[in-house]
Amino acid sequence: MQSFIGTGVALVTPFKKDFSVDVEALTRIVNYVIEGGVEYLVVLGTTAESATLSQDEKELVIDTIIKANAERLPLVLGVGGNNTHKVVEELKTRDFSHFSAILSVSPYYNKPTQEGIYQHFKAVAEASPIPVILYNVPGRTASNMLPSTVIRIANDFKNVIGIKEAAGDIVQAMKLIQIKPEGFLVISGDDMITLPMVLAGGAGVISVIGEGFPKEFSEMVRLGLQRKVDEAYKLHYLLANSIDMIFEQGNPGGIKEVFKALGLSENTVRLPLVNVNEDLATRLHNFTRKLS
């Protein structure tokens, strides 16, 4: 579990202008974030636009990241959904030899009860051959996985090692940290409150801004873990405006504009997502230019 203390980044799927997967750009991005000092990589999360990738494209993304990573950092694979049976089937059939854990989102759209969420993750935990990190993101799933449910799952299934907590609620995050079992990781899923969560006892972050500015953001998290509060907050406030900007018109449109400014990839997104507007693109390019 030491592998997941610090900064993980939720990798984008870069597309060419014809909307095909850009393997060369993805390789550049993997190398960029590794050289920037992040601790692990998250593959096929929401930021990867996985909802609009075909199965063949998903396999291409996985293979590209495995090859580019070359076993340098731990890899976490997004394996979740709102069809429990389908998730379990993938867990039983996929080769996880290159992965250290899965990240599994709470079921979306169906709006299960807390008992339904528990039963879903019971099935996931029992089927998964590798450790499980839960993912709570009510803004996307339309239901909140309550701390009591998280702790129930953590106590009952020892291969559930942590949660990416992205409710954007620092009080809920602190309650989780307060009542969690020893060794269970509470990982921020919200870039703006990452540092407060770390200082409250969180394990780090699975970040979006951290792949745009990996050096600064991962250093902020490390300083927070070391309780070097003033130095950490200096970096937090350096990056704060960029965090607001990358989410202002949706994810991953904002972070892809940063990658365009860095010369790493095109800014192409797939419908129903669209590019950020010209005003935001200009502000993101200006920020990126100043920071680099």
Side-chain angles (χ1 to χ4, degrees):
M1 289 193 294
Q2 283 293 120
S3 304
F4 309 117
I5 293 175
T7 301
V9 288
L11 291 167
V12 301
T13 302
F15 301 122
K16 299 176 182 177
K17 288 183 178 178
D18 66 1
F19 298 101
S20 62
V21 175
D22 191 335
V23 170
E24 291 79 13
L26 182 54
T27 300
R28 286 193 295 271
I29 290 168
V30 169
N31 286 322
Y32 172 72
V33 296
I34 292 175
E35 290 162 8
V38 306
E39 278 76 28
Y40 61 101
L41 308 177
V42 178
V43 183
L44 292 182
T46 309
T47 303
E49 294 175 77
S50 50
T52 63
L53 296 176
S54 70
Q55 193 57 46
D56 285 346
E57 288 172 329
K58 289 179 180 179
E59 300 305 327
L60 176 61
V61 167
I62 289 170
D63 291 345
T64 300
I65 294 171
I66 289 171
K67 182 178 178 183
N69 181 53
E71 299 185 348
R72 287 178 285 176
L73 294 183
L75 299 179
V76 177
L77 181 64
V79 183
N82 60 348
N83 179 341
T84 306
H85 177 76
K86 185 177 178 182
V87 175
V88 167
E89 282 302 301
E90 180 171 0
L91 290 169
K92 288 180 175 178
T93 56
R94 178 172 289 285
D95 175 12
F96 288 101
S97 56
H98 293 282
F99 291 91
S100 300
I102 66 163
L103 178 67
S104 198
V105 69
S106 185
Y108 43 83
Y109 191 77
N110 310 49
K111 295 185 75 172
T113 62
Q114 296 301 304
E115 182 63 26
I117 292 169
Y118 173 86
Q119 293 296 335
H120 171 85
F121 282 115
K122 178 178 187 287
V124 168
E126 289 175 345
S128 181
I130 58 176
V132 177
I133 301 171
L134 309 174
Y135 182 15
N136 184 40
V137 56
R140 289 185 181 273
T141 65
S143 63
N144 183 26
M145 184 161 35
L146 296 177
S148 57
T149 303
V150 174
I151 301 310
R152 183 184 173 198
I153 296 166
N155 284 329
D156 289 354
F157 306 101
K158 297 309 176 190
N159 63 331
V160 178
I161 62 167
I163 182 168
K164 178 184 177 184
E165 175 53 52
D169 183 342
I170 189 66
V171 176
Q172 178 164 299
M174 290 173 72
K175 174 57 69 173
L176 270 173
I177 292 165
Q178 179 186 1
I179 65 176
K180 71 179 181 66
E182 186 175 356
F184 186 80
L185 305 175
V186 179
I187 300 165
S188 176
D190 185 315
D191 287 336
M192 190 61 85
I193 62 171
T194 292
L195 184 54
M197 280 184 63
V198 167
L199 294 173
V205 63
I206 294 175
S207 174
V208 178
I209 199 67
E211 64 182 318
F213 307 112
K215 181 180 177 183
E216 294 82 2
F217 198 77
S218 66
E219 180 62 11
M220 180 201 78
V221 174
R222 282 188 292 273
L223 288 167
L225 290 166
Q226 296 163 16
R227 297 296 186 264
K228 296 181 178 178
V229 179
D230 292 342
E231 298 97 316
Y233 267 112
K234 185 176 180 181
L235 287 170
H236 168 86
Y237 287 119
L238 175 69
L239 294 170
N241 288 345
S242 70
I243 295 170
D244 282 337
M245 284 190 286
I246 65 162
F247 295 112
E248 185 178 313
Q249 293 176 20
N251 183 46
I255 195 65
K256 283 194 166 182
E257 200 65 50
V258 171
F259 281 135
K260 182 177 182 181
L262 291 167
L264 291 171
S265 72
E266 295 290 341
N267 60 355
T268 310
V269 293
R270 286 181 174 177
L271 288 170
L273 301 181
V274 294
N275 292 110
V276 302
N277 65 25
E278 186 176 343
D279 170 66
L280 180 54
T282 298
R283 286 184 280 133
L284 284 166
H285 281 249
N286 288 341
F287 183 93
T288 303
R289 192 161 47 244
K290 287 177 184 175
L291 196 64
S292 52

